[in-house]
């Protein structure tokens, strides 16, 4: 115990030396040293004198995470396992069971088994709930239980899982998996190529370039680049992908920080592959960070028409910093700005509301900037598409349903009770949608709107001030109106919910590969993009 305490106390002292040698912290050195000394003495006294045995490691972990939570969600501490996971994510190689897995409190849920990889070969399906890995119960494992599934290629792991109420076991032989940045590319018609770019790892630009060349060899003279659902990744790869379509020495992104060395400008470094091919970029509310650099830069220089819904709005740049004992920090060091000068960060983590939540920039506070051709573009809330598709914008009701995994869970139930053989002809029927509504009711789905919450809080205050009698009838009228809205909201969002159900169900039968094939014939955003590309006058007028 004393040895462990000694190590914990030494670390802050070493940190003081590091701070002292860093120019950015010199002005605050006394305050930093003072606070570290206070924390060190407090931590020592706590561990030595607390009535019960303490776990210094867990206490420190809680202290670190609580401190970082007060900043922004991207400034994070990584233990050794987290560092390795981040390396795998960026490099694009992975050894494990070959499945996307969701970690919950007492189980691991298979979100998507990758076609022809280990989990798929072992017969695991999306929706399977892993409750035990070898002899370790997931509910007893304090760290991320998904780490239990990783291991060297060729090694064996035994899992116990639940499916449709029954408990099963499976033996899985781990294998290496290449995580592709570009999982799909194909021809939509005889002249339109389609590239799906799902993440910005170290292979993103190479795979995008390879896909473009292959499509041009197949006759592509116009292109759709799909960045929907792409959470970002490596900034330099965002620059390299942009460079495929714009010439050498063109500004792509600028980063600005309080630390001078982090103030950087990123220009394209190579000759472009094609500066003329008509290009549409698809984005949605899950397109973030590096995806916004690419779509924002191509929009700013009028090189592409952006279609879909407003992007996530992450205009913050992180950098990893090595710490002791193989740990690491990822620190927000700067904001990034597109070529027109706009920062598209949507949430303000430094001016929070009375509940401590980050505030969103209001539309009336957006600032206008000009593209190369003089078109208006705006900061403050993600990349705004040139052509918006209402269907792709999530509403409060669809977000609530997705957050509770109800689309995913219904698709699981559907899969085990129905057969689907025809990919191109598949559709979620009105009868299916009616069953989905019954499923929501059976699952006790109920969501509270922000208006409803605010109204309830207002009534509580009114009762404290003894004003409830004055506003009682109005309150009940408003409550009734909100309940009527909520009861109709699912039907009002029928088209979007049917689209989400379609995507999830298709993946169960035909994997992601089948979903991309389905998209090329049926997806509304791709159809819109195709219509714009096939109308050169419309394409040109949007960019003017």
């Amino acid at each position: 115990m004393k040895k462990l305490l000694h190590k914990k106390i030494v670390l802050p002292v070493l940190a003081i030396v590091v701070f002292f040698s860093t120019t950015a912290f010199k002005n605050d050195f006394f305050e930093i040293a003072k606070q570290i000394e206070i924390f060190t003495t407090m931590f020592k006294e706590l561990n030595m004198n607390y009535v019960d045995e303490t776990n210094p490691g867990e206490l420190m972990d809680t202290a670190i995470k609580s401190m970082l939570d007060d900043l922004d969600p991207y400034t994070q501490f990584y233990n050794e396992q987290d560092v390795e996971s981040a390396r795998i994510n960026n490099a694009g190689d992975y050894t494990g069971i070959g499945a996307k897995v969701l970690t919950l409190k007492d189980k691991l849920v298979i979100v998507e088994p990758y076609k022809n990889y280990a989990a798929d070969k072992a017969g695991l399906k999306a929706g399977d709930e892993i409750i035990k890995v070898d002899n370790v119960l997931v509910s007893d494992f304090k760290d991320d239980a998904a780490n239990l599934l990783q291991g060297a290629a060729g090694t064996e792991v035994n899992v116990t899982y639940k499916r449709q109420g029954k408990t099963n076991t499976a033996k899985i032989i781990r294998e290496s998996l290449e995580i592709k940045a570009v999982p799909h590319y194909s021809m939509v018609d005889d002249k339109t190529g389609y590239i799906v770019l799902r993440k910005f790892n170290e292979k993103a630009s190479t795979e995008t370039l390879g896909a473009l060349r292959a499509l041009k060899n197949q006759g592509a003279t116009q292109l759709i680049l799909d960045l929907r659902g792409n959470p970002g990744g490596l900034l330099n790869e965002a620059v390299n992908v942009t460079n495929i379509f714009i010439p050498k020495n063109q500004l792509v992104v600028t980063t600005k920080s309080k630390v001078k060395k982090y103030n950087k400008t990123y220009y394209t470094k190579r000759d472009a592959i094609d500066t003329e091919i008509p290009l549409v970029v698809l984005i949605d509310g899950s397109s973030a960070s590096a995806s916004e650099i690419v779509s924002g830069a191509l929009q700013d220089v009028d090189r592409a028409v952006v279609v879909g819904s407003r992007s996530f709005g992450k205009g913050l740049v992180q950098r990893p910093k090595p710490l002791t004992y193989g740990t690491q920090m990822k620190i927000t060091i700067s904001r990034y700005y597109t070529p027109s000068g706009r920062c598209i960060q949507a949430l303000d983590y430094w001016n929070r509301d009375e509940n401590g939540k980050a505030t969103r920039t209001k539309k009336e506070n957006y600032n206008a900037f000009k593209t190369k051709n003089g078109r208006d573009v705006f900061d403050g809330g993600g990349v705004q598409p040139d052509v918006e598709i209402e269907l792709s914008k999530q509403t409060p009701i669809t977000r609530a349903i997705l957050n509770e995994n109800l689309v995913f869970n219904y698709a699981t139930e559907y899969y085990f009770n129905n057969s689907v053989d025809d990919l191109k002809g598949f559709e979620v029927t009105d009868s299916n949608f009616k069953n989905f509504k019954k499923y929501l009711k059976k699952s006790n789905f109920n969501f509270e709107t922000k208006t409803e919450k605010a109204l309830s809080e207002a009534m509580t205050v009114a009762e404290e001030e003894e004003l409830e009698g004055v506003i009682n009838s109005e309150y009940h009228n408003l409550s009734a109106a909100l309940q009527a809205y909520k009861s109709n909201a699912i039907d009002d969002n029928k088209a979007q919910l049917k689209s989400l159900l379609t995507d999830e169900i298709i993946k169960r039968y035909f994997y992601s590969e089948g979903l991309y094939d389905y998209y090329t014939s049926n997806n509304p955003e791709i159809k819109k993009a195709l219509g714009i590309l096939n109308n050169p006058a419309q394409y040109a007028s949007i960019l003017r």
Side-chain angles (χ1 to χ4, degrees):
M1 174 84 169
K2 284 184 179 179
K3 272 189 176 180
L4 189 54
L5 277 172
H6 176 71
K7 285 181 180 178
K8 294 290 183 181
I9 293 166
V10 168
L11 286 178
V13 176
L14 291 174
I16 293 174
V17 177
V18 174
F19 281 131
F20 185 72
S21 62
T22 307
T23 305
F25 294 101
K26 280 184 178 178
N27 294 337
D28 296 325
F29 175 72
F30 174 75
E31 185 63 24
I32 292 168
K34 172 185 170 183
Q35 296 303 325
I36 289 176
E37 187 177 355
I38 292 171
F39 180 81
T40 301
T41 54
M42 181 277 295
F43 191 71
K44 174 184 173 183
E45 294 297 331
L46 177 66
N47 282 283
M48 288 178 66
N49 298 300
Y50 189 70
V51 62
D52 292 323
E53 283 294 314
T54 59
N55 185 318
E58 288 185 4
L59 283 175
M60 183 62 76
D61 192 60
T62 300
I64 290 171
K65 289 178 179 176
S66 296
M67 176 175 64
L68 299 183
D69 283 346
D70 204 38
L71 299 174
D72 65 69
Y74 312 112
T75 298
Q76 297 175 341
F77 171 74
Y78 292 97
N79 60 32
E80 296 97 322
Q81 288 179 327
D82 296 330
V83 171
E84 178 63 11
S85 296
R87 184 198 67 78
I88 288 168
N89 191 47
N90 286 333
D93 57 4
Y94 169 75
T95 303
I97 68 167
K100 184 178 179 182
V101 178
L102 173 66
T103 304
L104 298 177
K105 186 177 180 181
D106 58 348
K107 60 194 173 187
L108 297 168
V109 179
I110 301 292
V111 174
E112 180 185 358
Y114 301 132
K115 187 177 182 180
N116 296 327
Y117 281 98
D120 189 34
K121 292 174 186 174
L124 266 67
K125 301 293 183 183
D128 288 348
E129 302 173 354
I130 298 175
I131 55 174
K132 190 176 179 181
V133 180
D134 287 328
N135 294 317
V136 180
L137 286 171
V138 173
S139 58
D140 291 342
F141 197 73
K142 292 184 179 179
D143 296 321
D144 187 349
N147 293 323
L148 296 170
L149 299 174
Q150 295 184 16
T155 59
E156 179 182 297
V157 61
N158 294 286
V159 299
T160 303
Y161 65 95
K162 287 185 177 179
R163 175 188 294 171
Q164 299 290 285
K166 295 181 180 179
T167 301
N168 307 283
T169 59
K171 181 192 295 182
I172 306 172
I173 307 300
R174 297 183 180 97
E175 59 185 338
S176 295
L177 166 67
E178 181 184 5
I179 302 173
K180 289 186 174 293
V182 176
H184 177 89
Y185 64 88
S186 62
M187 295 293 290
V188 179
D189 58 21
D190 58 359
K191 62 180 180 179
T192 309
Y194 172 60
I195 298 175
V196 179
L197 178 53
R198 275 291 170 262
K199 65 192 305 178
F200 285 87
N201 60 22
E202 291 174 353
K203 302 175 183 179
S205 59
T206 301
E207 291 184 18
T208 303
L209 180 56
L212 176 60
R213 283 175 169 155
L215 291 170
K216 291 182 76 170
N217 286 336
Q218 294 175 43
T221 56
Q222 52 193 29
L223 184 70
I224 300 169
L225 178 64
D226 193 344
L227 298 180
R228 290 175 297 173
N230 187 321
L234 302 175
L235 187 149
N236 65 304
E237 279 299 290
V239 176
N240 292 338
V241 168
T242 307
N243 196 174
I244 293 172
F245 304 104
I246 66 174
K248 188 176 181 179
N249 297 324
Q250 297 294 305
L251 178 64
V252 176
V253 63
T254 303
T255 61
K256 296 179 183 180
S257 170
K258 71 173 185 180
V259 182
K260 286 185 179 180
K261 68 178 181 179
Y262 297 143
N263 293 334
K264 294 188 176 182
T265 51
Y266 293 84
Y267 292 86
T268 50
K269 295 180 179 179
R270 306 178 184 90
D271 292 328
I273 300 304
D274 195 327
T275 61
E276 299 296 330
I277 188 169
L279 175 65
V280 168
V281 176
L282 302 181
I283 61 171
D284 64 10
S286 298
S287 304
S289 190
S291 296
E292 295 174 297
I293 291 174
V294 173
S295 55
L298 293 173
Q299 185 181 54
D300 279 2
V301 299
D302 300 300
R303 178 62 188 87
V305 172
V306 180
V307 172
S309 58
R310 184 181 287 277
S311 64
F312 182 81
K314 182 180 178 291
L316 303 175
V317 183
Q318 287 72 45
R319 174 168 290 191
K321 292 287 184 180
L323 305 175
T324 54
Y325 298 105
T327 61
Q328 205 176 83
M329 266 194 80
K330 187 176 72 173
I331 307 175
T332 297
I333 58 167
S334 56
R335 292 178 175 84
Y336 72 72
Y337 298 79
T338 66
S340 67
R342 55 183 168 145
C343 180
I344 51 179
Q345 175 64 23
L347 293 175
D348 185 351
Y349 297 103
W350 301 274
N351 294 289
R352 298 175 183 252
D353 63 19
E354 62 275 8
N355 298 313
K357 292 185 177 180
T359 55
R360 182 172 290 275
T361 307
K362 294 181 179 179
K363 193 170 183 179
E364 57 266 27
N365 295 327
Y366 291 173
N367 298 302
F369 295 80
K370 296 291 185 183
T371 69
K372 186 178 178 181
N373 288 343
R375 297 186 298 140
D376 283 337
V377 287
F378 299 90
D379 66 1
V383 175
Q384 179 74 28
D386 301 307
V387 178
E388 284 200 84
I389 307 292
E390 196 63 33
L391 186 66
S392 67
K393 182 181 178 182
Q394 287 184 7
T395 62
I397 182 74
T398 56
R399 273 196 299 272
I401 289 171
L402 288 171
N403 288 341
E404 292 190 28
N405 297 315
L406 293 170
V407 169
F408 179 85
N409 293 339
Y410 177 79
T412 300
E413 190 173 281
Y414 183 96
Y415 175 79
F416 288 110
N417 290 288
N418 298 273
S419 60
V420 175
D421 300 315
D422 180 17
L423 169 63
K424 296 292 185 182
F426 175 77
E427 68 171 332
V428 172
T429 64
D430 287 343
S431 176
N432 297 146
F433 189 72
K434 188 176 180 180
N435 289 334
F436 176 63
K437 290 198 295 181
K438 289 179 182 177
Y439 178 80
L440 293 179
K441 189 173 183 180
K442 184 177 71 174
S443 302
N444 296 317
F445 171 69
N446 187 30
F447 77 107
E448 184 180 44
T449 64
K450 289 181 181 179
T451 303
E452 195 174 11
K453 186 177 180 181
L455 186 62
S456 178
E457 290 172 353
M459 194 60 184
T460 301
V461 174
E463 288 171 357
E464 292 172 358
E465 296 180 343
E466 299 181 354
L467 294 173
E468 71 272 22
V470 179
I471 63 171
N472 196 48
S473 61
E474 288 82 359
Y475 170 78
H476 286 295
N477 288 338
L478 286 170
S479 293
L482 283 168
Q483 290 304 317
Y485 157 75
K486 286 167 66 174
S487 65
N488 294 326
I490 293 172
D491 282 327
D492 291 343
N493 288 271
K494 179 178 178 180
Q496 187 174 70
L497 287 168
K498 284 179 75 171
S499 177
L500 293 168
L501 286 165
T502 298
D503 289 359
E504 193 59 52
I505 291 170
I506 283 177
K507 281 197 294 185
R508 301 305 172 96
Y509 297 93
F510 305 103
Y511 302 86
S512 289
E513 292 85 347
L515 180 60
Y516 298 136
D517 285 337
Y518 182 85
Y519 274 176
T520 57
S521 301
N522 299 278
N523 183 255
E525 289 92 333
I526 292 177
K527 285 183 175 181
K528 186 66 176 179
L530 196 59
I532 293 168
L533 288 169
N534 287 335
N535 187 338
Q538 183 187 11
Y539 178 85
S541 69
I542 293 171
L543 294 180
R544 281 200 297 269

